Amino acid sequence: MLMIFPKLSKVAGENLYTYIVIAYEQDFFFAGSAKPLIERADLQPIYAALGMGNIGKINFVSPGTRLAYTPNLYGTIRWLVNQGQIRVFEVDAAALLSRVSNYRSDINRLILYKGLAPQLSIMSIVHEVTHAIQDWRNLVSGHKYIEADAYIAAAVAALSTDPNCAFLEYPAQKPAAKLVLAGQAFGTNTAWIQAYADVRKTVEADPPLIVLLKILPTRDLIKSLKTRLQF
Ligand SMILES: [Zn+2]
């Protein structure tokens, strides 16, 4: 088990982790604190994150999903947010487990979790908007490819404004993002294919919270919670 709560015993740490994951997955934080962002001033962080300074260099064809990402697509999502077709909420989950944001394609909902450093906020918005693009393009692909694309796009945005950005989630993001920034992210470039594969492998080795939850030795706890909370 991950040492996320070093001051707790192993079992207590696992239980707390499980409760937090369930709270996220079941929308408890959302139900408790969601604030819809509607006014222009409230949506400003999204508009700023999707400004040309951040997304202007996101230009690559994904070897995994085959989708071509361009600044125009990010502009389209910005427009959809502006039109209210993608609803945005701010949720306060006290930055638990460092979860940063989330896009749900079934209801076109983008959640921004409160209390993030500005640079982290830009990266998480670009990451989630990449998922929104995938959704609006009706992309069907594996989790590892969908995520690899989003991590690379977010890294391109981060490195566009700060070449020394220290917030990247994985080291493999940097070489891939640098190739995008250099205009070298096309299908016949073996360096790009390799850099993309490295990101994909990293993502694969780091399963999402909900998968982690299923493999944790706390199945009984989850079962009893499910019965009690009826989900
Ligand atoms: Zn993602």
Side-chain angles (χ1 to χ4, degrees), residues 127-128 131 146-147 150-151:
H127 180 114
E128 297 307 329
H131 289 322
I146 284 172
E147 287 302 330
Y151 279 115

Side-chain angles (χ1 to χ4, degrees), residues 108-123:
N108 300 332
R109 185 186 79 181
L110 178 64
I111 292 180
L112 307 178
Y113 291 107
K114 231 177 147 173
L116 301 178
Q119 220 173 357
L120 207 53
S121 168
I122 291 170
M123 270 178 57

Side-chain angles (χ1 to χ4, degrees), residues 26-221:
Q26 297 300 321
D27 263 356
F28 292 165
F29 292 123
F30 183 84
S33 69
K35 174 187 163 206
L37 304 182
I38 297 163
E39 301 298 327
R40 193 168 172 84
D42 291 335
L43 288 166
Q44 197 46 40
I46 299 214
Y47 295 145
L50 299 179
M52 282 309 272
N54 294 317
I55 56 99
K57 291 189 174 139
I58 301 180
N59 222 318
F60 66 95
V61 178
S62 163
T65 61
R66 308 277 166 208
L67 206 61
Y69 297 89
T70 60
N72 278 350
L73 289 174
Y74 289 83
T76 303
I77 299 297
R78 191 182 147 130
W79 183 82
L80 287 168
V81 168
N82 183 264
Q83 298 297 304
Q85 294 201 47
I86 291 177
R87 293 171 309 134
V88 185
F89 295 86
E90 184 183 65
V91 169
D92 190 351
L96 287 169
L97 302 181
S98 310
R99 196 172 252 214
V100 288
S101 51
N102 169 262
Y103 178 77
R104 261 185 65 176
S105 57
D106 52 343
I107 48 176
N108 300 332
R109 185 186 79 181
L110 178 64
I111 292 180
L112 307 178
Y113 291 107
K114 231 177 147 173
L116 301 178
Q119 220 173 357
L120 207 53
S121 168
I122 291 170
M123 270 178 57
S124 76
I125 289 170
V126 172
H127 180 114
E128 297 307 329
V129 166
T130 306
H131 289 322
I133 290 171
Q134 294 163 340
D135 177 40
W136 285 77
R137 299 299 301 265
N138 294 320
L139 177 71
V140 178
S141 190
H143 167 81
K144 58 191 174 187
Y145 302 117
I146 284 172
E147 287 302 330
D149 292 5
Y151 279 115
I152 291 171
V156 172
L159 296 174
S160 290
T161 44
D162 176 10
N164 301 312
C165 172
F167 287 98
L168 300 184
E169 289 95 339
Y170 307 115
Q173 282 169 279
K174 202 166 189 173
K178 279 188 158 176
L179 286 167
V180 176
L181 287 168
Q184 300 293 310
F186 47 85
T188 50
N189 182 359
T190 48
W192 164 240
I193 304 292
Q194 183 57 51
Y196 183 87
D198 290 342
V199 176
R200 192 252 303 147
K201 275 183 233 157
T202 311
V203 171
E204 217 173 354
D206 192 9
L209 289 176
I210 194 67
V211 174
L212 221 46
L213 177 64
K214 283 177 188 149
I215 58 173
L216 283 175
T218 41
R219 279 184 214 97
D220 294 340
L221 168 73

